[in-house]
Amino acid sequence: MSELTSPADVSAPPSAALAALAALRRLALPAIVVLVLALAWFAFSRLMGEVSYADLKAALDAVPATAIAAALVCTILSFAALTVYDLGALEFVGRKPPRVAVALTSFCAYAVGNTAGFGPLTAGAIRYRFYTPHGVEPDEVARIIAFVSLAFGLGLAGMAGLGLIAAARDFAMLPLPPQALQLLGGLIVALLAGLCFVVGQGRALRLFGHELRLPSRRLILRQFLATAVDVSASAAALWVLLPADSISLPAFIAVYAVAIGLGVLSHVPAGLGVFETVIVAALSSQVAPEKVLGALVLYRVIYHLVPLALAVLLITGLEARRAAASPLVSAALRAGKRLAPPLIGAFTLVLGALLIFSGVTPVGDEPLELLGAAVPLPLVEGAHFLASVLGVVLLIVARGLVYRLDGAWWLAIFIVPLSMVLALVKALALGEVLLLAALFAALLASRKSFSRQASLLHQALTPGWLAAVATLMITAVALLLFVYKDVAYTNELWWQFEFYSEAPRSLRALLGVLLTASVGAGWILLRPAARASALPTAEELAQARRIVAAQPRVDAGLVAMGDKSLLFSEDGRAFIMYGRQGRSWVALSDPVGPRECWSGLVWRFVEMARQAGGRAAFYQVAPDSLALYADAGLMAFKLGEEARVSLPGFDLKGAKRANLRQALNKAEREGLVFEVVGTAEVGGILPELQAVSDAWMGHHQVREKRFSLGAFEPDYVCSQPVAVLKQAGHIVAFATLLTTELKEEASIDLMRFLPGAPNGVMDVLLLRLILHFQGEGYAWFTLGMAPLSGLSGSEAAPVWHRVGRAVFEHGERFYNFSGLRAFKAKFQPEWQPRYLAVSGGINPMLALADITVLISGGLKGVIGK
């Protein structure tokens, strides 16, 4: 905004090698996930070499109803224990949202995280979406996620250690003596006990040169107890489905803990394939493989699909009930509204996978007999093929639903009922119909949540999402090969059309699935590249300035510089101004215009950057808009604080403002005269303003800045009022002013003075402006941002805060960060945080370096001043 505001970064641009490493990481991780999955399925197929599909069905039918009921009870107990994780994490960061809403958020987060386990559908994104509206800072959400993850990891290790100690003799599958296993388990437990011992009230652990504050001993013990209950209950949910006397529960808990850990480390969604391989390998010498596989199938349904379906039904009920008198119910309603899109998106993803998997598996004799008597064969064949293809389409629609796209909602409203009809025609699949009906009801109840107008066809699917789709494709192929491994392949199979020839039908369905997925991937890879951003035309600038004039934010007046590209909303009522540097597409501040247009604009900008292979970043955004960026898959990183003076209550009375009164009195004695020159008259004093500006820049040996700051360009300076201080009839200092027609907020942009001007001239000019706009009836006067101000000094703060705090306190050699805040603090402003919204990893550092280059007007400006 003003030259009291500086770029929030002083580092040099990253090297090309660092940028290349970031790009390689984006591509390598999904490739590794797919490779790990392929290896897991290969190992799994070897383990299940003698098991047939008929054996699996028989094993499933043999599981008693009491075991299924017991598994459901264990699942409920596990999810109840998981709520304690969030409560403990919130206590650790010192926040207390309504407990009923926390319980709902925790349940939904784990229902999604256990099933999807990747990208924008992760439990962390759901927590971010819910907790930030309750006053939890973004860095605190990061600490909550880290706390929950660390608590689960340590608890998982502890349970594995206890299992090894208690049931070492049951691990016949391992080539180690029981004594060695007990020793290993004891070592794990001892290490964890030692960690708990060094943690106490107010204690800190020094790690890699940093002080890390840890939770209290009481909180750690409570979290471990919650993990013990969670892991034991979830392991028991699978154990009760196994044949009786197959393995003791303590031993199985240890096996289960290892399987879960390896599944998490593999990064495969829900550990699919990896988890199953470990369990089958561990139990192969004690339990028939087909019985283990049958238990695993039921476990996936009970522990993953059932909670997700219940979460969707719960959110649907909350969405249908808009009004409630109870504060607790009202809190749950508010949470439900925020959680609906990610939950419905995750449920859509699962049902899309279900349609694909049902397409490559046999229907069964009884449904085929009923269908053969009532439905022509061509309809059955067509329904089977089309339902599988629609499953792939639902995978793409799921992502659009997560991001609240109205186009995704409309497409889902068309596809889901059609899939219900096809499920009946192809196999009388009543279970699929009921699940799809639940999804359809959820979509109807949550219609208002899907209001973001953006093209579904122009989604830039992320590598993580593509890896998830590849995971499902590989699983479908593996499933088909397992089910029909006793059927000899011949070319004639493709052309067999008979009611009881199910292998050809599944082959054709798999071909349709793979072709549809390939066409989608091809569209993403081969579609035309996004056009290069151009500077706005005179008509676009005029349109943008009309929008700025009709809204309260004055920093949007920087659009008049004409040095930023513009992205307008579909109706032309709002816009984003942005610049490009390297791979960074940087939007300056929040969107400008009516708030109802912001969501769609944010989404379009993020997708536009992704289509061009870049990273989207929003620079200096306000805290009340962070949920918009979280919805688009971005994270918030605090940049500093903006100083805002409340004008109605401002006065010069009291000891705290004695220095300001003295500065005014001194200015009067020195003959300094204050004047605000209207826009129409600025041209007449432009040469004198130019002389002051040149003298100021020459004295300070600086270059003109860009992007987030104005520059002394005649057209730009003449487009706004200018405040001047005169001495003996000559201008000695001036400031260009930013205002809008609403007269709610005012600020300064350029602020320059002659080297020989009286001391304290900047204080006087700002003070005169504050009093001037107070008299004009304005509500706020903005002094601009203090970079790196207000970052947490806690030893438990994120690395971003600790590095920024160190620069703030010790970076005087590069920029007077603390001095700038002290200067603004003299006016006793209110401090409001400002953030950088960008994707995670090393992207914040790369984006901030690119922003530095943007503001400095190029590399030369970064190296110089």
Side-chain angles (χ1 to χ4, degrees), residues 26 458-461 524 527-533 578 580 582-585 604-616:
R26 287 180 66 248
H458 290 85
Q459 292 187 89
L461 299 186
I524 294 167
R527 63 187 171 190
R531 64 179 178 87
S533 303
Y578 67 96
R580 292 180 61 181
R583 288 186 55 245
S584 298
W585 293 54
R604 286 178 56 204
F605 182 74
V606 171
E607 289 297 284
M608 184 173 66
R610 286 175 179 165
Q611 289 172 25
R615 72 178 67 83

Side-chain angles (χ1 to χ4, degrees), residues 82 116 119 150 178 185 209 239 479 482 495 581 689 716 724 804 820 842:
L82 288 172
L150 186 61
W239 180 74
L479 188 59
F482 168 73
W495 311 108
Q581 176 63 42
L689 297 178
Y716 177 67
V724 299
L820 178 61
I842 65 172

Side-chain angles (χ1 to χ4, degrees), residues 444-513:
L444 292 177
S446 306
R447 172 66 186 100
K448 292 184 178 179
S449 296
F450 302 93
S451 58
R452 179 173 292 161
Q453 296 181 354
S455 173
L456 185 64
L457 295 177
H458 290 85
Q459 292 187 89
L461 299 186
T462 61
W465 199 282
L466 290 174
V469 174
T471 297
L472 296 176
M473 298 300 105
I474 292 174
T475 304
V477 173
L479 188 59
L480 179 92
L481 295 176
F482 168 73
V483 171
Y484 297 108
K485 63 182 178 181
D486 295 328
V487 177
Y489 173 78
T490 63
N491 291 332
E492 287 74 19
L493 283 175
W494 296 98
W495 311 108
Q496 291 182 13
F497 295 92
E498 302 174 11
F499 264 105
Y500 294 96
S501 298
E502 297 196 65
R505 192 174 297 131
S506 296
L507 273 174
R508 290 188 289 269
L510 180 62
L511 178 63
V513 165

Side-chain angles (χ1 to χ4, degrees), residues 545 548-549 551 553-562 564 575 577 592 716 719-720 738-740 749:
R545 293 181 67 175
V548 171
Q551 54 88 48
R553 288 179 39 218
V554 295
D555 56 349
L558 288 169
V559 72
M561 275 288 294
K564 290 169 279 291
F575 69 90
M577 48 182 166
V592 183
Y716 177 67
S719 68
Q720 51 201 328
L738 296 173
T739 61
T740 70
D749 185 13

Side-chain angles (χ1 to χ4, degrees), residues 194-271:
L195 177 62
C196 182
F197 178 76
V198 300
V199 174
Q201 298 288 349
R203 298 283 299 275
L205 179 68
R206 191 162 189 83
L207 190 64
F208 302 114
H210 295 287
E211 292 291 331
L212 179 64
R213 185 175 67 86
L214 295 174
S216 67
R217 188 177 295 114
R218 177 188 62 83
L219 186 56
I220 281 197
L221 290 174
R222 191 176 77 184
Q223 290 302 117
F224 181 77
L225 179 61
T227 306
V229 174
D230 164 41
V231 175
S232 299
S234 57
L238 176 54
W239 180 74
V240 296
L241 299 171
L242 293 170
D245 301 325
S246 55
I247 185 175
S248 68
L249 181 57
F252 184 73
I253 290 174
V255 172
Y256 179 89
V258 172
I260 287 290
L262 291 176
V264 171
L265 291 175
S266 72
H267 292 287
V268 175

